[in-house]
Every structure is written in C-alpha cells, then in structure tokens.
Amino acid sequence: MQTYIVFVTCPNPDVAASIARTLVEERLAACGNLVPGIRSIYRWKGKIEQETETLLLLKTDAEAYPHVQSRVQALHPYEVPEILAVPVEHGLPAYLNWITDSLGEESQDI
C-alpha cells in the first residue's frame, strides 16, 4: 500500500492538534506531527497575505487518503485549506508497516 505524508497548514497549534487527534482516533492517520511557527506568504483574493501558521504532517495511505481529505476539509476553519499528499518513496520498512497497521480496522498497537 502506498504511504503518504499529508501537509496541512493550520491557523494555530490547537486547530492542528484537534485535527490530528480526530484523524488518529478515527484511524485515518497513523500519526500527526505539529510544526508550529511557520511563516506563510501567499496570494489570497488578489492580495499578498502573511500569517504565522502551524504545519500539520499526517501519515496515512492511499486507501485512507480520500477520507483524510474529506475529514480535514470538514474540520478545518479555512475556506480552502492546504491539503497536499506526497507519496513516500522509501522508508524504514517497520515504520511503514506500523503506519499501515495503525489505519482502518481495529488493530493491535505495536
């Protein structure tokens, strides 16, 4: 199964943590990492904007990704949240297996 890292920018650590916790509880993501204090500069509705945000990195797989996208969109306060899935080409096999084992149906935690 193809593993993905999903990038989601959030307005603050509380929103990022809430989304991460929900997706891990729902077994749509194996893990969520919060990287606070990123500085985003972007164009929105014709204006250049600048915000301090928190980057949320979610680990999931191809089967769960459509549900991840849908849930993040439903939980996120932004009108158009950043949701980008990047395939993982290589990784520690035991870690990649842990991601797969953590998703979907009830599984035994390692």
Side-chain angles (χ1 to χ4, degrees):
M1 179 64 62
Q2 177 68 59
T3 300
Y4 289 135
I5 296 175
V6 181
F7 292 77
V8 180
T9 49
C10 298
N12 59 58
D14 291 337
V15 169
S18 177
I19 292 171
R21 179 169 294 281
T22 298
L23 270 64
V24 170
E25 287 174 351
E26 294 177 357
R27 295 187 175 274
L28 296 175
C31 176
N33 302 113
L34 283 65
V35 183
I38 67 165
R39 185 172 163 194
S40 297
I41 300 169
Y42 56 94
R43 182 178 305 277
W44 180 248
K45 297 187 177 181
K47 291 176 53 184
I48 302 296
E49 302 285 348
Q50 178 173 295
E51 299 291 337
T52 299
E53 297 180 298
T54 297
L55 178 62
L56 172 58
L57 302 172
L58 299 166
K59 280 59 159 235
T60 193
D61 67 17
E63 185 176 335
Y65 177 74
H67 305 288
V68 169
Q69 179 177 298
S70 177
R71 288 299 283 144
V72 169
Q73 205 167 5
L75 296 166
H76 205 290
Y78 290 172
E79 182 179 339
V80 180
E82 173 185 352
I83 306 171
L84 298 172
V86 178
V88 173
E89 298 233 358
H90 304 282
L92 180 69
Y95 185 77
L96 298 176
N97 289 337
W98 170 78
I99 290 172
T100 300
D101 291 346
S102 298
L103 303 173
E105 295 297 318
E106 197 68 29
S107 66
Q108 185 175 8
D109 291 327
I110 296 173

